[in-house]
Amino acid sequence: VQLQASGGGLVQAGGSLSLSCAASGSIFSINTMGWYRQAPGKERELVAQISGGASTNYVDSVKGRFTISRDNNKNTVYLQMNKLIPEDTAVYYCSADITVQYSYSRRTYWGQGTQVTVSS
């Protein structure tokens, strides 16, 4: 199983960016999917999560600006980021709680990080 993230880049404050993350491999089911971020010198923090039933939760600092969504047919999770501020600058990581085929083992998988830089 692999998670492949895309999107990110450099944007001015007030701008928008969109991230996507696709899971592939021998997947039986995907439960919660999410996005985390890690800024230099800081711990990784949860940004947003979406359950298998599409319930969402966000860290307070991004509420009203970021939107997480998923396409179960494509095993993909998205993060639309609007009204970006310099404090959003970080490496963003996607995660997915996946049950694999055959063994039905279940654990959290991580995508590679993608850099988001917001200039002031």
Side-chain angles (χ1 to χ4, degrees):
V1 173
Q2 289 186 328
L3 268 62
Q4 181 67 47
S6 60
L10 173 64
V11 65
Q12 288 189 333
S16 298
L17 283 174
S18 180
L19 305 180
S20 63
C21 176
S24 62
S26 300
I27 297 170
F28 176 74
S29 65
I30 303 177
N31 193 3
T32 299
M33 305 182 83
W35 290 95
Y36 290 72
R37 66 186 179 187
Q38 188 166 20
K42 295 187 177 181
E43 294 186 352
R44 188 175 297 189
E45 68 168 351
L46 173 65
V47 176
Q49 277 185 327
I50 183 166
S51 71
S55 296
T56 60
N57 68 282
Y58 299 89
V59 66
D60 286 346
S61 61
V62 308
K63 286 181 180 177
R65 301 189 297 119
F66 291 12
T67 302
I68 189 170
S69 61
R70 64 190 287 169
D71 183 334
N72 292 327
N73 291 326
K74 296 181 179 179
N75 291 337
T76 299
V77 62
Y78 305 95
L79 186 68
Q80 178 64 40
M81 305 182 290
N82 299 327
K83 300 179 182 178
L84 284 159
I85 59 178
E87 289 75 15
D88 294 320
T89 295
V91 178
Y92 283 69
Y93 299 89
C94 58
S95 70
D97 181 10
I98 295 175
T99 299
V100 300
Q101 291 180 339
Y102 312 118
S103 68
Y104 299 103
S105 63
R106 175 178 174 176
R107 71 172 180 89
T108 299
Y109 291 82
W110 293 88
Q112 86 285 8
T114 185
Q115 178 70 45
V116 171
T117 303
V118 184
S119 63
S120 58

